[in-house]
Every structure is written in structure tokens, then in C-alpha cells.
Amino acid sequence: MPKTYEPIATTTLGSSATEINFTSISGSFTDLILVGRFSSTTLIFGGMNLRFNSDSGSNYSYTLLEGTGSAASSARASNTTAMEMGYNGTNDAGQNIIIQIQNYSNTTTNKTAISRYNSPAGQVMSYVGLWRNTAAITSIRFAVNNQALATGSTFTLYGIKAE
Amino acid sequence: MIGNIVAAITDGGEAATDFESIATVTVGAGGSANIEFTSIPSTFQHLQIRYLGRGTFNGGDVEVHMQINSDTGSNYTRHFIYGDGSTAGAGSATSQTKIVLNDVPAATSTSGIFGTTVMDILDYTNTNKNKTVRALIGRDKNGSGVLLLSSFLWSSTSAITSIKIFPSANNFAQYSHFALYGIKG
């Protein structure tokens, strides 16, 4: 059986940055997993957004589930210009996110991603998002609205290859 | 599970030693009534199934079901929390004849949209424990969608050797993709 689950690239910020980019993603895997451990530089609330292949059109949507410790809620947005996969409500230094993107390189289906986002001081969240495009994903941009990612934030992109 | 896998990879500096592809099915043009993983090797500690699914049922969505070792008895239990874009809720069901993994888009949904699931099946060869499954399940259709965090119990101490996944009506549609992975202990 082939062994799989390989790190493709890791970025650890030496200084604050407004976004993280993974480019020239190989099509040789079946699924992608983006793992982030990060904090932001301000207290402004903001969504954590993905864009694929530099597409800034209104081609994204998402549905979310959130638990704050006292209440659970759900929301959605359609025809957005990025795919929200988490939401920073506390500027927690321990934020982490795992985003799963299946069948990212096929050219016949729209792309769906599903995430788990944790802010230990604030909330737990999960998202499912849609990118209405059948193109193979070759680049991923991760950014937090209205904020910069703080020094030391680290992101790794993994690939899983099915037999 | 996923976090532990990642930790193992990053701590060891060696990728791809503990997570192996066992089998993969991509549904062809004719569709498929079910996906079966049989003769699952017992050489792993845990299993993970990752799928993108869509149904041919002539409706907006169709349920996905799963049975283990061909057991059709009332031996399955589930608990879940969900969000449908406006409401968050929770539910449970006992004495079920199958695991209900919630819905995937079907024939009347916009073409090219699939539902996604990542599930872990823990300690699947242990003959002293009933079997537990956890899953992250979702679909978004640009205007509707559901997200679930689910856990399932199969009340059997048998080692898992086969898994069947099937839609509640009609077939899985072309390009649906199911992959079974093994995770070493």
C-alpha cells in the first residue's frame, strides 16, 4: 500500500503579514489539508478567508456552525468573494484551523472545503464552503479580514494521495 | 485523530509513514448503488474514510448510509450537532439499522456540487470494544447547506472487515469519490 500524507509546504511568519499564499500546488495528490496555528495583530473581528487560483469573483459560499460556550448558532453567506473558514472573535493567541479540500485537482466538479476552527478563549466553529469553479486548484490564499497575521503564525499544507 | 496525525508528521519530520491508502473508488458514468470496502486489512490502528458524494435521486438531496460487516440489525446509534445556515441544533437516534451520514446533493441540485465527509473509525480491529465512528460532514450549495459533527456507535465487538456506503435512494452519481485510509498505531 502506498504511504501518503505528505507536507507540501510550510510558512512561518518572521514578521506580520496580511495573507499567506501557497502557489504552484502540484496536482499529484488527491486531497489537500491546510493546518494553521496563528494569532492576529489587532482586536478587530474578522473572518478567515480562502481564495483559490486568485479568483476574487463572487463565486464562493459557506455555511457555518459555532459554539461559544453559552450558545450554538449557524449562519451562511452566498455569492461571496472569498470562502470563510473561521472567524476571529477574540484575538486569541491560540487560534488553530484545519481545512480539508477533497479532489482539488479534478476538473469536473466544483470544489468543496470543510474546516474546523478553534479559538480556545472564544469559540469552536466548523465551516463547509463551496467554490463554484471546476478548475484544478493550483494556489491558495489565506487571509484574515481587517487584520494581519502575527509573527510566528505558522501554516502547513499537506497532500494526501489515494491509491 | 487528524490533529494527532499532523503532530506525528511534524514532530517526526518524516511524512507518509503512518497514513496509508488502502482503497479508492471513483464512481463512473453509470453511477453506483453502493461502495463497498471488503477484506479490510487488520494491520492498522484506525481507519479514515474521505468522500465527496452526490446522488442520482430525483430530488435536491439524498441521505448517505453506512453498514459495517454487512450488519443490518438494529445495532447503530448516532448523536450529532448541526447547523443549517440559520439554526443550530442537535439530535440522536438509537437502535438504527445503519449509520446515517446525512445528505449529499442529488439530481436537482446544481450540477458539479458534491457533499464532503471525513470520518475516523477508531480501534477497528479491537475485539473487546464496541466500535465508534466520528465524522465531519457538510455540503454547501450557495444558498443552502448543512454542516454536522457526528458520532456513531456500532454495538459490536467484532473486528471491522468490511464497510458498505450507499445512498438511501437510487445511486451515487458519477465523479463521487470514496477513499479508505489506514492509520498506524
Side-chain angles (χ1 to χ4, degrees):
Chain A
M1 294 170 196
K3 296 172 179 176
T4 186
Y5 211 128
E6 301 178 21
I8 297 172
T10 296
T11 296
T12 301
L13 293 178
S15 60
S16 64
T18 56
E19 61 187 61
I20 298 283
N21 287 282
F22 294 96
T23 60
S24 303
I25 297 170
S26 157
S28 61
F29 296 95
T30 307
D31 300 341
L32 298 174
I33 301 175
L34 177 60
V35 179
R37 172 70 167 81
F38 58 97
S39 60
S40 47
T41 58
T42 68
L43 283 169
I44 301 170
F45 294 173
M48 289 134 215
N49 296 319
L50 291 184
R51 277 183 182 155
F52 302 118
N53 297 4
S54 303
D55 181 8
S56 58
S58 300
N59 300 315
Y60 303 87
S61 55
Y62 57 85
T63 302
L64 69 90
L65 174 64
E66 176 184 30
T68 61
S70 59
S73 62
S74 181
R76 81 161 56 89
S78 304
N79 300 314
T80 55
T81 57
M83 181 189 291
E84 188 171 294
M85 290 273 100
Y87 189 89
N88 175 14
T90 60
N91 197 29
D92 181 1
Q95 296 173 74
N96 56 83
I97 193 166
I98 300 176
I99 303 170
Q100 316 260 349
I101 308 165
Q102 293 196 41
N103 258 19
Y104 71 99
S105 64
N106 88 79
T107 56
T108 53
T109 69
N110 294 316
K111 303 301 180 294
T112 294
I114 196 164
S115 76
R116 278 280 294 106
Y117 165 73
N118 304 298
S119 170
Q123 72 267 53
V124 295
M125 305 184 80
S126 187
Y127 282 72
V128 60
L130 174 69
W131 180 41
R132 298 191 307 283
N133 194 311
T134 59
I137 293 173
T138 57
S139 68
I140 298 172
R141 168 188 178 270
F142 179 95
V144 183
N145 278 352
N146 305 316
Q147 302 179 37
L149 296 160
T151 301
S153 295
T154 185
F155 295 82
T156 300
L157 183 67
Y158 296 91
I160 291 179
K161 191 181 298 182
E163 187 176 55
Chain B
M1 180 59 58
I2 294 167
N4 290 340
I5 295 165
V6 170
I9 291 169
T10 53
D11 290 351
E14 292 289 337
T17 55
D18 298 328
F19 193 95
E20 298 182 15
S21 173
I22 298 174
T24 304
V25 177
T26 301
V27 175
S32 180
N34 58 69
I35 305 299
E36 289 195 75
F37 296 111
T38 60
S39 303
I40 297 170
S42 60
T43 51
F44 299 97
Q45 187 74 38
H46 311 295
L47 300 173
Q48 185 172 98
I49 295 175
R50 309 170 63 86
Y51 72 75
L52 280 175
R54 180 181 173 94
T56 63
F57 173 67
N58 189 27
D61 300 307
V62 65
E63 274 189 353
V64 176
H65 297 164
M66 185 170 90
Q67 289 172 332
I68 299 170
N69 289 7
S70 302
D71 183 5
T72 59
S74 301
N75 299 315
Y76 302 93
T77 301
R78 66 171 171 152
H79 284 80
F80 58 93
I81 56 174
Y82 73 94
D84 64 5
S86 58
T87 302
S92 66
T94 59
S95 302
Q96 302 289 292
T97 59
K98 70 273 182 184
I99 285 172
V100 177
L101 291 160
N102 204 259
D103 295 353
V104 294
T108 62
S109 293
T110 302
S111 64
I113 297 178
F114 289 65
T116 185
T117 293
V118 178
M119 78 173 97
D120 294 308
I121 304 170
L122 308 177
D123 223 356
Y124 71 105
T125 61
N126 191 304
T127 55
N128 298 304
K129 300 174 183 173
N130 293 319
K131 302 304 178 293
T132 300
V133 180
R134 70 164 201 174
L136 181 58
I137 302 165
R139 65 187 187 281
D140 186 277
K141 302 197 297 184
N142 191 40
S144 65
V146 177
L147 185 68
L148 295 100
L149 282 74
S150 300
S151 69
F152 306 98
L153 172 69
W154 178 44
S155 297
S156 172
T157 57
S158 296
I160 294 175
T161 57
S162 69
I163 296 169
K164 177 182 176 182
I165 303 171
F166 52 102
S168 60
N170 296 65
N171 294 333
F172 284 122
Q174 186 180 20
Y175 306 121
S176 294
H177 184 271
F178 298 80
L180 173 67
Y181 297 89
I183 302 161
K184 296 282 190 178

